[in-house]
Amino acid sequence: MALAFAAVSSDAHATRIFPDTRTRQEPTSAEDDPIKLFERGQDAHARGDYGHAIALYDAALKLRPEFPEAEFQKAMALLASKRLAEAKAAFARATELRPDWAFAYAAFGAALATTGDAEAEKILRHALALEPRNRQATVALARLREQAGDRAEALRLAKQATALSDATAADWHQRALLELASGDQRAALASLDRALALDADDVRARLARARLLIELREMERAIGDLQLVTPADEASKIELATLWARAGRRAEALRWLDALSETTK
């Protein structure tokens, strides 16, 4: 039975995979159908019910042992449950069954990277060897290289990510931060412009651009950005107040400081 896969929006550990059932033989009941068990597992997975999801993936695998998609989703659910050794074992089985599956290497490697596990980089590099234009692996590897202090490779990877057709506002923002760290303010400003062109409501990117414009003494543009920001969290309110003060607008700075909760004050 061939299975197709595709990603849909979800958290880092719950990317849905859609099975192709065109060649499927009809089972006698839902409990004898590995595809239905798999789909129920994904439903539980998306709800964050990882224990139930793992049980359903195991049930699907019992009926169809060579089911790499179920092994992969089980690996992701185990990783979300902080069962690292078991997650790695399930991932190894998935990629043994399907060794050229760049999607699995990228998704598992990116999720594993958030745990600080040293194997994440190797997995992400393998994903890129299989699929050099894989955005998820490129972005995750850029973050790892930045954390390792290798800003040159991190910036190279960030530029590679933003050259892709599916680059996001967050990718351009990450590139801008790396450009700032390298001392290239004008390149960073251009990257922040691209980020905000993709997502005008990105508060973090807009605050970052306002901060940079103030440093470049482009006050009119900086004030224009600050006027568009309505922060929801306390940290952003503090940053906004600070930037208003740096822009010479004391009244606006005080207004946002007054908007802080009593606990924060």
Side-chain angles (χ1 to χ4, degrees), residues 32-243:
D32 295 328
D33 186 342
I35 299 298
K36 286 187 176 179
L37 288 166
F38 174 66
E39 290 173 343
R40 285 169 56 198
Q42 292 196 115
D43 291 340
H45 199 152
R47 294 193 304 270
D49 188 353
Y50 302 123
H52 190 205
I54 292 164
L56 288 164
Y57 296 143
D58 277 335
L61 286 161
K62 185 175 181 180
L63 293 169
R64 188 177 293 278
E66 294 189 356
F67 194 165
E69 292 80 5
E71 289 284 12
F72 167 73
Q73 291 292 54
K74 178 182 172 182
M76 296 297 280
L78 286 163
L79 189 57
S81 303
K82 304 188 188 307
R83 294 161 61 179
L84 190 56
E86 294 170 88
K88 288 181 179 180
F91 173 71
R93 287 192 294 273
T95 51
E96 181 181 354
L97 290 167
R98 199 167 171 176
D100 60 348
W101 196 8
F103 167 83
Y105 281 97
F108 188 79
L112 188 63
T114 65
T115 71
D117 190 277
E119 289 185 39
E121 182 169 337
K122 179 181 177 182
I123 292 170
L124 290 168
R125 289 193 185 279
H126 190 70
L128 290 172
L130 292 169
E131 186 182 308
R133 295 175 63 81
N134 186 292
R135 177 191 155 272
Q136 185 176 27
T138 303
V139 170
L141 184 57
R143 290 198 181 100
L144 281 182
R145 296 314 302 155
E146 181 186 10
Q147 291 165 9
D150 187 350
R151 288 178 178 167
E153 187 180 15
L155 181 54
R156 179 185 66 77
L157 288 162
K159 288 179 178 179
Q160 185 176 316
T162 52
L164 300 175
S165 61
D166 57 347
T168 67
D171 298 340
W172 281 102
H173 190 179
Q174 182 184 10
R175 172 174 168 171
L177 294 176
L178 288 164
E179 288 166 336
L180 276 175
S182 71
D184 194 341
Q185 291 181 313
R186 287 296 169 182
L189 181 58
S191 293
L192 288 168
D193 288 344
R194 294 292 298 271
L196 288 164
L198 287 169
D199 184 1
D201 296 324
D202 187 332
V203 170
R204 289 177 59 252
R206 196 164 294 279
L207 287 171
R209 188 171 74 175
R211 186 186 320 114
L212 180 53
L213 288 166
I214 290 169
E215 291 176 7
L216 293 169
R217 309 307 297 168
E218 295 186 29
M219 291 301 180
E220 187 175 343
R221 283 191 68 195
I223 288 170
D225 271 343
L226 295 176
Q227 289 172 333
L228 292 173
V229 175
T230 304
D233 61 273
E234 299 292 272
S236 294
K237 290 176 184 176
I238 292 170
E239 183 172 5
L240 181 57
T242 301
L243 292 175

Side-chain angles (χ1 to χ4, degrees), residues 21 23-29 32-33 36:
T21 58
T23 60
R24 167 180 157 213
Q25 294 181 344
E26 286 300 320
T28 57
S29 72
D32 295 328
D33 186 342
K36 286 187 176 179

